[in-house]
Amino acid sequence: MNIVLMGCPGAGKGTQSAKLQETFGLKHISTGDVLRAEIASGSELGQQIAQIIDKGNLVPDGLMISMLEKIVRHTDQGIIFDGFPRTVAQAQALDEMLQRFERSITCVIMITLPESEVVGRVSLRRQCRQCEEILHVEDPGETRCPKCGGELYTRPDDTPARVKHRLEVYHCETLPVKNYYVNSGKYVEVNGNQTPDQVFKDICNVLEKVK
Ligand code: AMP
């Protein structure tokens, strides 16, 4: 089973990917995490990537596709693609890549969220410097990770101004990907404006039909 998980910033792709990974034993590939790991490595490439991500822009297709291909090549399990494809060129490259590896997309799940919810949701998202857990705080002043006590921080691309820009990028670059998939018969929308457990239940119902 190979699942493409789509949705605007804050839609809950990361949260649902973690649940899917645990329940179905799939490999979770988050291109955002792949890029952040490259940044954390301190490489020159990582420094260039940081400049792009921190502004809320997309990393060039060629680079993103080759980074993803290296991971897919070494993965035998089913995959959750979280945050990829983000452009039509990436969607075409993914089809071509999967065909080469004798795989195919089982299902494209779009987690929908009203735009009015996005900035509020993302403004409560924090990451722990120590255990790298991503979580949603109830109190914006919360500074300590409830799991390990590490320091919480807001990703530079999660500030309200950056989120608004990322939404614009999403509209221009990523929504056309939806049209790319709509006619494939594999595209399904799930309402992301519910509790994470309810969203997951809806996703499982979708997967039950396509498995
Ligand atoms: P995410 O963690 O999925 O929200 O991604 C964080 C940032 O990483 C995005 O705003 C982009 O700058 C970059 N990024 C992640 N995935 C891609 C992709 N498929 N193509 C280009 N840039 C990406």
Side-chain angles (χ1 to χ4, degrees):
M1 190 154 65
N2 299 301
I3 302 168
V4 171
L5 213 49
M6 294 186 68
C8 62
K13 299 185 293 295
T15 304
Q16 296 304 322
S17 293
K19 287 176 179 285
L20 284 165
Q21 178 177 31
E22 198 184 321
T23 307
F24 297 102
L26 302 169
K27 167 129 177 128
H28 173 206
I29 304 179
S30 152
T31 43
D33 285 351
V34 171
L35 294 168
R36 283 184 286 275
E38 186 64 45
I39 296 171
S41 78
S43 69
E44 202 175 307
L45 177 64
Q47 287 172 25
Q48 289 165 9
I49 290 172
Q51 289 187 5
I52 299 171
I53 291 194
D54 290 355
K55 289 192 187 116
N57 292 324
L58 293 185
V59 169
D61 287 333
L63 174 60
M64 199 67 262
I65 291 162
S66 69
M67 287 178 98
L68 183 80
E69 180 159 351
K70 277 187 201 140
I71 304 171
V72 174
R73 183 183 293 281
H74 296 109
T75 304
D76 293 328
Q77 325 142 251
I79 298 174
I80 308 156
F81 294 96
D82 163 9
F84 188 100
R86 264 179 156 98
T87 65
V88 171
Q90 291 181 12
Q92 288 165 338
L94 182 61
D95 277 345
E96 188 267 327
M97 185 192 307
L98 291 179
Q99 205 175 352
R100 242 180 313 123
F101 296 133
E102 297 180 349
R103 289 169 168 251
S104 61
I105 294 171
T106 314
C107 186
V108 178
I109 299 176
M110 166 71 90
I111 306 177
T112 62
L113 188 70
E115 242 170 68
S116 53
E117 291 287 317
V118 174
V119 174
R121 256 201 200 192
V122 176
S123 70
L124 295 175
R125 181 158 66 186
R126 300 285 183 277
Q127 186 151 15
C128 174
R129 284 196 200 283
Q130 204 161 287
C131 69
E132 295 186 351
E133 178 84 10
I134 293 174
L135 49 116
H136 291 85
V137 293
E138 278 176 26
D139 171 8
E142 187 66 62
T143 56
R144 290 285 151 200
C145 172
K147 282 206 171 159
C148 74
E151 186 196 348
L152 295 179
Y153 73 102
T154 303
R155 275 167 38 183
D157 57 338
D158 273 353
T159 58
R162 290 288 184 268
V163 172
K164 281 188 188 138
H165 177 64
R166 283 165 67 198
L167 267 175
E168 283 164 19
V169 172
Y170 176 77
H171 277 285
C172 293
E173 304 282 352
T174 307
L175 272 185
V177 178
K178 166 184 165 178
N179 300 330
Y180 178 87
Y181 286 128
V182 156
N183 295 323
S184 69
K186 295 177 178 174
Y187 178 87
V188 185
E189 291 190 353
V190 165
N191 176 12
N193 202 12
Q194 314 179 78
T195 64
D197 284 345
Q198 188 57 51
V199 176
F200 187 59
K201 215 168 148 193
D202 288 358
I203 290 178
C204 289
N205 287 337
V206 167
L207 295 179
E208 206 42 56
K209 290 182 196 135
V210 297
K211 258 199 300 184

PDB file of all heavy atoms in Angstrom, residues 99-128:
ATOM      1  N   GLN A  99       6.792   3.533 -11.028  1.00  0.00           N
ATOM      2  CA  GLN A  99       6.711   2.564 -12.131  1.00  0.00           C
ATOM      3  C   GLN A  99       8.042   1.830 -12.292  1.00  0.00           C
ATOM      4  O   GLN A  99       8.086   0.622 -12.441  1.00  0.00           O
ATOM      5  CB  GLN A  99       6.374   3.310 -13.416  1.00  0.00           C
ATOM      6  CG  GLN A  99       5.691   2.420 -14.433  1.00  0.00           C
ATOM      7  CD  GLN A  99       5.255   3.235 -15.644  1.00  0.00           C
ATOM      8  OE1 GLN A  99       5.338   4.463 -15.652  1.00  0.00           O
ATOM      9  NE2 GLN A  99       4.812   2.566 -16.669  1.00  0.00           N
ATOM     10  N   ARG A 100       9.140   2.596 -12.206  1.00  0.00           N
ATOM     11  CA  ARG A 100      10.476   2.014 -12.320  1.00  0.00           C
ATOM     12  C   ARG A 100      10.736   1.001 -11.217  1.00  0.00           C
ATOM     13  O   ARG A 100      11.396   0.003 -11.414  1.00  0.00           O
ATOM     14  CB  ARG A 100      11.533   3.123 -12.262  1.00  0.00           C
ATOM     15  CG  ARG A 100      12.352   3.192 -13.532  1.00  0.00           C
ATOM     16  CD  ARG A 100      13.411   4.270 -13.528  1.00  0.00           C
ATOM     17  NE  ARG A 100      12.948   5.557 -13.083  1.00  0.00           N
ATOM     18  CZ  ARG A 100      13.475   6.230 -12.066  1.00  0.00           C
ATOM     19  NH1 ARG A 100      14.465   5.726 -11.363  1.00  0.00           N
ATOM     20  NH2 ARG A 100      13.016   7.421 -11.732  1.00  0.00           N
ATOM     21  N   PHE A 101      10.194   1.302 -10.014  1.00  0.00           N
ATOM     22  CA  PHE A 101      10.393   0.389  -8.883  1.00  0.00           C
ATOM     23  C   PHE A 101       9.256  -0.636  -8.784  1.00  0.00           C
ATOM     24  O   PHE A 101       9.089  -1.284  -7.750  1.00  0.00           O
ATOM     25  CB  PHE A 101      10.511   1.177  -7.569  1.00  0.00           C
ATOM     26  CG  PHE A 101      11.717   2.075  -7.496  1.00  0.00           C
ATOM     27  CD1 PHE A 101      11.619   3.385  -7.071  1.00  0.00           C
ATOM     28  CD2 PHE A 101      12.985   1.598  -7.856  1.00  0.00           C
ATOM     29  CE1 PHE A 101      12.740   4.212  -7.002  1.00  0.00           C
ATOM     30  CE2 PHE A 101      14.105   2.422  -7.796  1.00  0.00           C
ATOM     31  CZ  PHE A 101      13.982   3.732  -7.368  1.00  0.00           C
ATOM     32  N   GLU A 102       8.475  -0.726  -9.860  1.00  0.00           N
ATOM     33  CA  GLU A 102       7.339  -1.665  -9.931  1.00  0.00           C
ATOM     34  C   GLU A 102       6.388  -1.506  -8.752  1.00  0.00           C
ATOM     35  O   GLU A 102       5.982  -2.457  -8.102  1.00  0.00           O
ATOM     36  CB  GLU A 102       7.845  -3.111 -10.057  1.00  0.00           C
ATOM     37  CG  GLU A 102       8.624  -3.284 -11.345  1.00  0.00           C
ATOM     38  CD  GLU A 102       9.147  -4.690 -11.547  1.00  0.00           C
ATOM     39  OE1 GLU A 102       9.092  -5.491 -10.599  1.00  0.00           O
ATOM     40  OE2 GLU A 102       9.610  -4.962 -12.659  1.00  0.00           O
ATOM     41  N   ARG A 103       6.064  -0.264  -8.488  1.00  0.00           N
ATOM     42  CA  ARG A 103       5.098   0.070  -7.444  1.00  0.00           C
ATOM     43  C   ARG A 103       4.061   0.991  -8.064  1.00  0.00           C
ATOM     44  O   ARG A 103       4.249   1.480  -9.177  1.00  0.00           O
ATOM     45  CB  ARG A 103       5.770   0.869  -6.331  1.00  0.00           C
ATOM     46  CG  ARG A 103       6.734   0.096  -5.459  1.00  0.00           C
ATOM     47  CD  ARG A 103       7.479   1.097  -4.608  1.00  0.00           C
ATOM     48  NE  ARG A 103       8.216   0.458  -3.553  1.00  0.00           N
ATOM     49  CZ  ARG A 103       7.913   0.509  -2.263  1.00  0.00           C
ATOM     50  NH1 ARG A 103       6.864   1.155  -1.855  1.00  0.00           N
ATOM     51  NH2 ARG A 103       8.659  -0.096  -1.366  1.00  0.00           N
ATOM     52  N   SER A 104       3.003   1.279  -7.309  1.00  0.00           N
ATOM     53  CA  SER A 104       2.065   2.293  -7.780  1.00  0.00           C
ATOM     54  C   SER A 104       1.370   2.921  -6.575  1.00  0.00           C
ATOM     55  O   SER A 104       1.436   2.386  -5.460  1.00  0.00           O
ATOM     56  CB  SER A 104       1.028   1.678  -8.717  1.00  0.00           C
ATOM     57  OG  SER A 104       0.306   0.704  -8.011  1.00  0.00           O
ATOM     58  N   ILE A 105       0.738   4.045  -6.808  1.00  0.00           N
ATOM     59  CA  ILE A 105       0.010   4.717  -5.727  1.00  0.00           C
ATOM     60  C   ILE A 105      -1.307   3.976  -5.506  1.00  0.00           C
ATOM     61  O   ILE A 105      -2.045   3.712  -6.457  1.00  0.00           O
ATOM     62  CB  ILE A 105      -0.267   6.189  -6.111  1.00  0.00           C
ATOM     63  CG1 ILE A 105       1.044   6.960  -6.195  1.00  0.00           C
ATOM     64  CG2 ILE A 105      -1.219   6.838  -5.115  1.00  0.00           C
ATOM     65  CD1 ILE A 105       0.903   8.352  -6.786  1.00  0.00           C
ATOM     66  N   THR A 106      -1.586   3.649  -4.247  1.00  0.00           N
ATOM     67  CA  THR A 106      -2.841   2.969  -3.917  1.00  0.00           C
ATOM     68  C   THR A 106      -3.953   4.002  -3.787  1.00  0.00           C
ATOM     69  O   THR A 106      -5.077   3.790  -4.238  1.00  0.00           O
ATOM     70  CB  THR A 106      -2.697   2.217  -2.563  1.00  0.00           C
ATOM     71  OG1 THR A 106      -1.462   1.505  -2.573  1.00  0.00           O
ATOM     72  CG2 THR A 106      -3.854   1.287  -2.314  1.00  0.00           C
ATOM     73  N   CYS A 107      -3.621   5.129  -3.159  1.00  0.00           N
ATOM     74  CA  CYS A 107      -4.659   6.087  -2.818  1.00  0.00           C
ATOM     75  C   CYS A 107      -4.055   7.466  -2.531  1.00  0.00           C
ATOM     76  O   CYS A 107      -2.963   7.545  -1.950  1.00  0.00           O
ATOM     77  CB  CYS A 107      -5.328   5.545  -1.545  1.00  0.00           C
ATOM     78  SG  CYS A 107      -6.738   6.427  -1.019  1.00  0.00           S
ATOM     79  N   VAL A 108      -4.739   8.510  -2.968  1.00  0.00           N
ATOM     80  CA  VAL A 108      -4.309   9.878  -2.658  1.00  0.00           C
ATOM     81  C   VAL A 108      -5.343  10.467  -1.703  1.00  0.00           C
ATOM     82  O   VAL A 108      -6.516  10.615  -2.072  1.00  0.00           O
ATOM     83  CB  VAL A 108      -4.229  10.744  -3.933  1.00  0.00           C
ATOM     84  CG1 VAL A 108      -3.818  12.176  -3.591  1.00  0.00           C
ATOM     85  CG2 VAL A 108      -3.263  10.140  -4.947  1.00  0.00           C
ATOM     86  N   ILE A 109      -4.936  10.763  -0.490  1.00  0.00           N
ATOM     87  CA  ILE A 109      -5.891  11.280   0.500  1.00  0.00           C
ATOM     88  C   ILE A 109      -5.599  12.752   0.759  1.00  0.00           C
ATOM     89  O   ILE A 109      -4.501  13.121   1.191  1.00  0.00           O
ATOM     90  CB  ILE A 109      -5.808  10.482   1.819  1.00  0.00           C
ATOM     91  CG1 ILE A 109      -6.157   9.012   1.555  1.00  0.00           C
ATOM     92  CG2 ILE A 109      -6.746  11.078   2.866  1.00  0.00           C
ATOM     93  CD1 ILE A 109      -6.006   8.113   2.760  1.00  0.00           C
ATOM     94  N   MET A 110      -6.606  13.575   0.481  1.00  0.00           N
ATOM     95  CA  MET A 110      -6.494  15.012   0.755  1.00  0.00           C
ATOM     96  C   MET A 110      -7.199  15.295   2.070  1.00  0.00           C
ATOM     97  O   MET A 110      -8.397  15.041   2.207  1.00  0.00           O
ATOM     98  CB  MET A 110      -7.161  15.790  -0.390  1.00  0.00           C
ATOM     99  CG  MET A 110      -7.409  17.247  -0.096  1.00  0.00           C
ATOM    100  SD  MET A 110      -5.896  18.213  -0.053  1.00  0.00           S
ATOM    101  CE  MET A 110      -5.759  18.713  -1.757  1.00  0.00           C
ATOM    102  N   ILE A 111      -6.449  15.792   3.065  1.00  0.00           N
ATOM    103  CA  ILE A 111      -7.068  16.183   4.341  1.00  0.00           C
ATOM    104  C   ILE A 111      -7.461  17.650   4.198  1.00  0.00           C
ATOM    105  O   ILE A 111      -6.592  18.520   4.058  1.00  0.00           O
ATOM    106  CB  ILE A 111      -6.097  16.004   5.525  1.00  0.00           C
ATOM    107  CG1 ILE A 111      -5.549  14.570   5.564  1.00  0.00           C
ATOM    108  CG2 ILE A 111      -6.793  16.335   6.833  1.00  0.00           C
ATOM    109  CD1 ILE A 111      -4.514  14.334   6.663  1.00  0.00           C
ATOM    110  N   THR A 112      -8.767  17.915   4.184  1.00  0.00           N
ATOM    111  CA  THR A 112      -9.220  19.288   3.951  1.00  0.00           C
ATOM    112  C   THR A 112      -9.325  20.049   5.274  1.00  0.00           C
ATOM    113  O   THR A 112      -9.597  19.466   6.326  1.00  0.00           O
ATOM    114  CB  THR A 112     -10.596  19.313   3.248  1.00  0.00           C
ATOM    115  OG1 THR A 112     -11.553  18.692   4.113  1.00  0.00           O
ATOM    116  CG2 THR A 112     -10.560  18.584   1.923  1.00  0.00           C
ATOM    117  N   LEU A 113      -9.090  21.353   5.204  1.00  0.00           N
ATOM    118  CA  LEU A 113      -9.202  22.208   6.392  1.00  0.00           C
ATOM    119  C   LEU A 113      -9.570  23.619   5.930  1.00  0.00           C
ATOM    120  O   LEU A 113      -8.926  24.141   5.018  1.00  0.00           O
ATOM    121  CB  LEU A 113      -7.839  22.250   7.126  1.00  0.00           C
ATOM    122  CG  LEU A 113      -7.835  22.938   8.484  1.00  0.00           C
ATOM    123  CD1 LEU A 113      -8.598  22.115   9.520  1.00  0.00           C
ATOM    124  CD2 LEU A 113      -6.406  23.171   8.982  1.00  0.00           C
ATOM    125  N   PRO A 114     -10.609  24.241   6.559  1.00  0.00           N
ATOM    126  CA  PRO A 114     -10.932  25.615   6.162  1.00  0.00           C
ATOM    127  C   PRO A 114      -9.740  26.523   6.425  1.00  0.00           C
ATOM    128  O   PRO A 114      -9.053  26.371   7.445  1.00  0.00           O
ATOM    129  CB  PRO A 114     -12.105  25.997   7.084  1.00  0.00           C
ATOM    130  CG  PRO A 114     -12.584  24.739   7.681  1.00  0.00           C
ATOM    131  CD  PRO A 114     -11.471  23.746   7.631  1.00  0.00           C
ATOM    132  N   GLU A 115      -9.526  27.450   5.483  1.00  0.00           N
ATOM    133  CA  GLU A 115      -8.352  28.320   5.626  1.00  0.00           C
ATOM    134  C   GLU A 115      -8.363  29.120   6.915  1.00  0.00           C
ATOM    135  O   GLU A 115      -7.321  29.424   7.488  1.00  0.00           O
ATOM    136  CB  GLU A 115      -8.273  29.264   4.433  1.00  0.00           C
ATOM    137  CG  GLU A 115      -7.002  29.026   3.681  1.00  0.00           C
ATOM    138  CD  GLU A 115      -6.978  29.748   2.369  1.00  0.00           C
ATOM    139  OE1 GLU A 115      -6.921  30.986   2.392  1.00  0.00           O
ATOM    140  OE2 GLU A 115      -7.003  29.064   1.330  1.00  0.00           O
ATOM    141  N   SER A 116      -9.581  29.435   7.405  1.00  0.00           N
ATOM    142  CA  SER A 116      -9.688  30.222   8.637  1.00  0.00           C
ATOM    143  C   SER A 116      -9.073  29.476   9.833  1.00  0.00           C
ATOM    144  O   SER A 116      -8.716  30.087  10.830  1.00  0.00           O
ATOM    145  CB  SER A 116     -11.159  30.533   8.925  1.00  0.00           C
ATOM    146  OG  SER A 116     -11.900  29.326   8.922  1.00  0.00           O
ATOM    147  N   GLU A 117      -8.937  28.166   9.716  1.00  0.00           N
ATOM    148  CA  GLU A 117      -8.393  27.363  10.820  1.00  0.00           C
ATOM    149  C   GLU A 117      -6.861  27.305  10.805  1.00  0.00           C
ATOM    150  O   GLU A 117      -6.240  26.991  11.814  1.00  0.00           O
ATOM    151  CB  GLU A 117      -8.885  25.908  10.701  1.00  0.00           C
ATOM    152  CG  GLU A 117     -10.361  25.708  10.945  1.00  0.00           C
ATOM    153  CD  GLU A 117     -10.698  25.850  12.425  1.00  0.00           C
ATOM    154  OE1 GLU A 117      -9.950  25.312  13.241  1.00  0.00           O
ATOM    155  OE2 GLU A 117     -11.681  26.537  12.728  1.00  0.00           O
ATOM    156  N   VAL A 118      -6.280  27.561   9.612  1.00  0.00           N
ATOM    157  CA  VAL A 118      -4.870  27.219   9.418  1.00  0.00           C
ATOM    158  C   VAL A 118      -3.921  27.993  10.336  1.00  0.00           C
ATOM    159  O   VAL A 118      -3.137  27.393  11.077  1.00  0.00           O
ATOM    160  CB  VAL A 118      -4.455  27.404   7.939  1.00  0.00           C
ATOM    161  CG1 VAL A 118      -2.956  27.197   7.770  1.00  0.00           C
ATOM    162  CG2 VAL A 118      -5.227  26.438   7.058  1.00  0.00           C
ATOM    163  N   VAL A 119      -4.012  29.338  10.316  1.00  0.00           N
ATOM    164  CA  VAL A 119      -3.037  30.141  11.072  1.00  0.00           C
ATOM    165  C   VAL A 119      -3.137  29.828  12.562  1.00  0.00           C
ATOM    166  O   VAL A 119      -2.120  29.642  13.242  1.00  0.00           O
ATOM    167  CB  VAL A 119      -3.222  31.655  10.799  1.00  0.00           C
ATOM    168  CG1 VAL A 119      -2.306  32.481  11.691  1.00  0.00           C
ATOM    169  CG2 VAL A 119      -2.911  31.964   9.336  1.00  0.00           C
ATOM    170  N   GLY A 120      -4.380  29.711  13.077  1.00  0.00           N
ATOM    171  CA  GLY A 120      -4.577  29.400  14.495  1.00  0.00           C
ATOM    172  C   GLY A 120      -3.954  28.066  14.855  1.00  0.00           C
ATOM    173  O   GLY A 120      -3.240  27.950  15.854  1.00  0.00           O
ATOM    174  N   ARG A 121      -4.189  27.059  14.029  1.00  0.00           N
ATOM    175  CA  ARG A 121      -3.653  25.722  14.309  1.00  0.00           C
ATOM    176  C   ARG A 121      -2.136  25.719  14.308  1.00  0.00           C
ATOM    177  O   ARG A 121      -1.502  25.195  15.211  1.00  0.00           O
ATOM    178  CB  ARG A 121      -4.110  24.747  13.206  1.00  0.00           C
ATOM    179  CG  ARG A 121      -5.199  23.842  13.649  1.00  0.00           C
ATOM    180  CD  ARG A 121      -5.217  22.639  12.728  1.00  0.00           C
ATOM    181  NE  ARG A 121      -6.515  22.002  12.839  1.00  0.00           N
ATOM    182  CZ  ARG A 121      -6.782  20.813  12.358  1.00  0.00           C
ATOM    183  NH1 ARG A 121      -5.857  20.149  11.695  1.00  0.00           N
ATOM    184  NH2 ARG A 121      -7.972  20.295  12.504  1.00  0.00           N
ATOM    185  N   VAL A 122      -1.567  26.311  13.240  1.00  0.00           N
ATOM    186  CA  VAL A 122      -0.104  26.262  13.105  1.00  0.00           C
ATOM    187  C   VAL A 122       0.568  27.086  14.206  1.00  0.00           C
ATOM    188  O   VAL A 122       1.665  26.758  14.650  1.00  0.00           O
ATOM    189  CB  VAL A 122       0.333  26.713  11.691  1.00  0.00           C
ATOM    190  CG1 VAL A 122       1.847  26.760  11.574  1.00  0.00           C
ATOM    191  CG2 VAL A 122      -0.232  25.764  10.643  1.00  0.00           C
ATOM    192  N   SER A 123      -0.129  28.145  14.686  1.00  0.00           N
ATOM    193  CA  SER A 123       0.498  28.990  15.713  1.00  0.00           C
ATOM    194  C   SER A 123       0.661  28.234  17.038  1.00  0.00           C
ATOM    195  O   SER A 123       1.413  28.656  17.902  1.00  0.00           O
ATOM    196  CB  SER A 123      -0.305  30.277  15.930  1.00  0.00           C
ATOM    197  OG  SER A 123      -1.515  29.954  16.567  1.00  0.00           O
ATOM    198  N   LEU A 124      -0.037  27.111  17.180  1.00  0.00           N
ATOM    199  CA  LEU A 124       0.108  26.309  18.405  1.00  0.00           C
ATOM    200  C   LEU A 124       1.036  25.108  18.198  1.00  0.00           C
ATOM    201  O   LEU A 124       1.181  24.270  19.072  1.00  0.00           O
ATOM    202  CB  LEU A 124      -1.273  25.833  18.881  1.00  0.00           C
ATOM    203  CG  LEU A 124      -2.230  26.951  19.325  1.00  0.00           C
ATOM    204  CD1 LEU A 124      -3.595  26.386  19.658  1.00  0.00           C
ATOM    205  CD2 LEU A 124      -1.671  27.710  20.528  1.00  0.00           C
ATOM    206  N   ARG A 125       1.643  25.025  17.003  1.00  0.00           N
ATOM    207  CA  ARG A 125       2.538  23.898  16.739  1.00  0.00           C
ATOM    208  C   ARG A 125       3.940  24.211  17.258  1.00  0.00           C
ATOM    209  O   ARG A 125       4.469  25.277  17.028  1.00  0.00           O
ATOM    210  CB  ARG A 125       2.587  23.632  15.225  1.00  0.00           C
ATOM    211  CG  ARG A 125       3.478  22.459  14.863  1.00  0.00           C
ATOM    212  CD  ARG A 125       3.132  21.874  13.530  1.00  0.00           C
ATOM    213  NE  ARG A 125       3.376  22.775  12.403  1.00  0.00           N
ATOM    214  CZ  ARG A 125       3.024  22.488  11.166  1.00  0.00           C
ATOM    215  NH1 ARG A 125       2.398  21.370  10.889  1.00  0.00           N
ATOM    216  NH2 ARG A 125       3.276  23.335  10.188  1.00  0.00           N
ATOM    217  N   ARG A 126       4.524  23.254  17.965  1.00  0.00           N
ATOM    218  CA  ARG A 126       5.883  23.420  18.497  1.00  0.00           C
ATOM    219  C   ARG A 126       6.681  22.160  18.200  1.00  0.00           C
ATOM    220  O   ARG A 126       6.128  21.083  18.027  1.00  0.00           O
ATOM    221  CB  ARG A 126       5.869  23.605  20.030  1.00  0.00           C
ATOM    222  CG  ARG A 126       5.095  24.796  20.525  1.00  0.00           C
ATOM    223  CD  ARG A 126       5.819  26.124  20.300  1.00  0.00           C
ATOM    224  NE  ARG A 126       5.050  27.233  20.855  1.00  0.00           N
ATOM    225  CZ  ARG A 126       4.040  27.838  20.238  1.00  0.00           C
ATOM    226  NH1 ARG A 126       3.687  27.454  19.008  1.00  0.00           N
ATOM    227  NH2 ARG A 126       3.387  28.829  20.813  1.00  0.00           N
ATOM    228  N   GLN A 127       8.012  22.321  18.183  1.00  0.00           N
ATOM    229  CA  GLN A 127       8.874  21.147  18.064  1.00  0.00           C
ATOM    230  C   GLN A 127       9.837  21.153  19.247  1.00  0.00           C
ATOM    231  O   GLN A 127      10.252  22.216  19.719  1.00  0.00           O
ATOM    232  CB  GLN A 127       9.644  21.173  16.738  1.00  0.00           C
ATOM    233  CG  GLN A 127      10.434  19.888  16.513  1.00  0.00           C
ATOM    234  CD  GLN A 127      10.623  19.546  15.045  1.00  0.00           C
ATOM    235  OE1 GLN A 127      10.408  20.372  14.170  1.00  0.00           O
ATOM    236  NE2 GLN A 127      11.028  18.328  14.765  1.00  0.00           N
ATOM    237  N   CYS A 128      10.174  19.946  19.720  1.00  0.00           N
ATOM    238  CA  CYS A 128      11.101  19.833  20.850  1.00  0.00           C
ATOM    239  C   CYS A 128      12.528  19.747  20.323  1.00  0.00           C
ATOM    240  O   CYS A 128      12.817  18.933  19.441  1.00  0.00           O
ATOM    241  CB  CYS A 128      10.767  18.589  21.678  1.00  0.00           C
ATOM    242  SG  CYS A 128      11.980  18.293  22.985  1.00  0.00           S
TER     243      CYS A 128
END
